[in-house]
Amino acid sequence: MKGVIFDIKHFAVHDGPGIRTTVFLKGCPLKCLWCHNPESIGKQSQLGFLEHKCTSCGRCVPVCKNGAHFIDENGKHIFDRSKCTLCGKCADVCPGKVLTFYGREEDVETIVADVLKDKDFYECSKNGGVTLSGGECLMQPDFCAELLKRFKAEGLCTAVDTCGFVSRASLDKVIPYTDLFLYDLKAIDSEVHKKCTGQDNAVILENLKYLDSLGKGIEIRYPYVPGFNDTEVREIGEFLKELSNITRIKVLPYHAYAATKYKSLNMENTLPDTVPCDSEIEAAKSFLRTMGLNVAD
């Protein structure tokens, strides 16, 4: 069985407990205005080009049979996207990773072997293991289920990072093999959610209640974005305090570091201009704690 991924990050410490390896799968049903992984949104492969970092070494030119890369008369590397067939060969030879290919097909065996290289580190850290993320990894539910099944057979702690905008059937496929769900909760108000992500949140809230009813461990991720969902703190707290299996809540301050990614992919940059100050984040955390919720520092 094969799936489409865009990255594997070793020694991850923010995607679940302990030392972990995070496997990022391509495709997402939401389009969050503040998305910091724009390369994860589309299902199709993409080629990123960090033009400002290019030294015009020219190694990409001979491997591209369609002439998408060339060095002009001024010695500048020109990339013609209209001629690119997304074979990824140019990224393979780029010494500075100025060209990056997102969206390669990999089989279960290859990914499992890669993750297991660090098994000793997982065992030396508390609850270390593997996390499936994205994009929205559950857009490839059968692939995720097979990966998680194999990881559990190896004794690894497993986590699934999800936006929750998936079918109940997709969730059911991975539940037996998932120890922890890292669950994004961006807003309770449906109109706020539509404005921020392009989609209603009814399915997301129902899936969260469903996981909770099954006794699954859930860590909530609340991305705090001033001017967009910063008014949702009370509503989020009211919703979560009625659930029984929320292990903790992370309030994630929005940042605009991904601007260069949008440019490199020739995508519209939808990142908001305003980032939160420390006092705003601490106020949100404090308020959620007054509601009896376990909020990460």
Side-chain angles (χ1 to χ4, degrees), residues 28-280:
C28 186
L30 303 183
K31 175 57 182 79
C32 301
L33 296 175
W34 55 78
C35 181
H36 62 275
N37 283 334
E39 72 276 23
S40 74
I41 299 171
K43 294 180 181 179
Q44 74 281 2
S45 297
Q46 293 170 281
L47 185 67
F49 174 43
L50 294 169
E51 184 177 1
H52 65 289
K53 290 188 175 182
C54 182
T55 62
S56 300
C57 70
R59 295 187 188 184
C60 56
V61 175
V63 300
C64 181
K65 303 306 179 184
N66 297 292
H69 300 281
F70 63 94
I71 307 299
D72 69 10
E73 64 275 10
N74 297 314
K76 183 180 179 181
H77 173 199
I78 303 298
F79 174 35
D80 185 347
R81 287 186 181 273
S82 67
K83 295 181 180 180
C84 178
T85 60
L86 296 171
C87 68
K89 292 179 180 178
C90 57
D92 291 339
V93 300
C94 182
K97 302 302 180 184
V98 170
L99 291 162
T100 305
F101 188 71
Y102 301 108
R104 65 183 188 273
E105 201 174 57
E106 293 284 8
D107 58 39
V108 169
E109 289 71 22
T110 299
I111 294 176
V112 170
D114 193 351
V115 169
L116 289 179
K117 289 189 298 186
D118 293 331
K119 189 174 182 180
D120 288 345
F121 294 102
Y122 313 144
E123 294 174 347
C124 290
S125 67
K126 187 176 181 181
N127 296 321
V130 61
T131 298
L132 301 187
S133 186
E136 174 49 62
C137 61
L138 294 183
M139 288 186 71
Q140 303 179 57
D142 294 320
F143 186 62
C144 286
E146 186 60 29
L147 281 173
L148 293 164
K149 183 179 180 180
R150 293 284 296 276
F151 292 138
K152 288 307 298 178
E154 293 290 342
L156 300 188
C157 172
T158 57
V160 167
D161 188 350
T162 178
C163 72
F165 194 75
V166 297
S167 69
R168 183 66 55 83
S170 295
L171 273 179
D172 284 337
K173 287 179 180 180
V174 301
I175 283 171
Y177 315 112
T178 305
D179 296 313
L180 176 68
F181 284 89
L182 309 177
Y183 206 99
D184 293 349
L185 191 57
K186 302 171 177 74
I188 301 299
D189 184 276
S190 62
E191 291 305 313
V192 172
H193 200 274
K194 286 179 186 177
K195 176 184 176 182
C196 293
T197 72
Q199 298 288 353
D200 183 80
N201 61 350
V203 169
I204 294 170
L205 299 180
E206 287 304 312
N207 280 337
L208 180 53
K209 289 190 286 188
Y210 175 63
L211 290 175
D212 183 71
S213 73
L214 297 176
K216 302 302 296 186
I218 306 165
E219 177 179 291
I220 296 296
R221 308 293 189 84
Y222 168 33
Y224 184 98
V225 190
F228 291 87
N229 70 344
D230 52 331
T231 59
E232 290 290 291
V233 179
R234 178 183 293 276
E235 287 75 11
I236 286 174
E238 293 288 351
F239 184 88
L240 293 178
K241 74 178 185 179
E242 300 302 321
L243 304 182
S244 303
N245 293 287
I246 306 301
T247 60
R248 68 172 178 171
I249 302 167
K250 279 191 172 182
V251 180
L252 305 176
Y254 160 70
H255 61 74
Y257 301 154
T260 55
K261 282 188 180 181
Y262 283 89
K263 185 176 181 180
S264 77
L265 293 164
N266 198 33
M267 292 175 64
E268 178 189 3
N269 184 348
T270 60
L271 294 172
D273 294 326
T274 306
V275 298
C277 60
D278 292 343
S279 61
E280 289 179 274

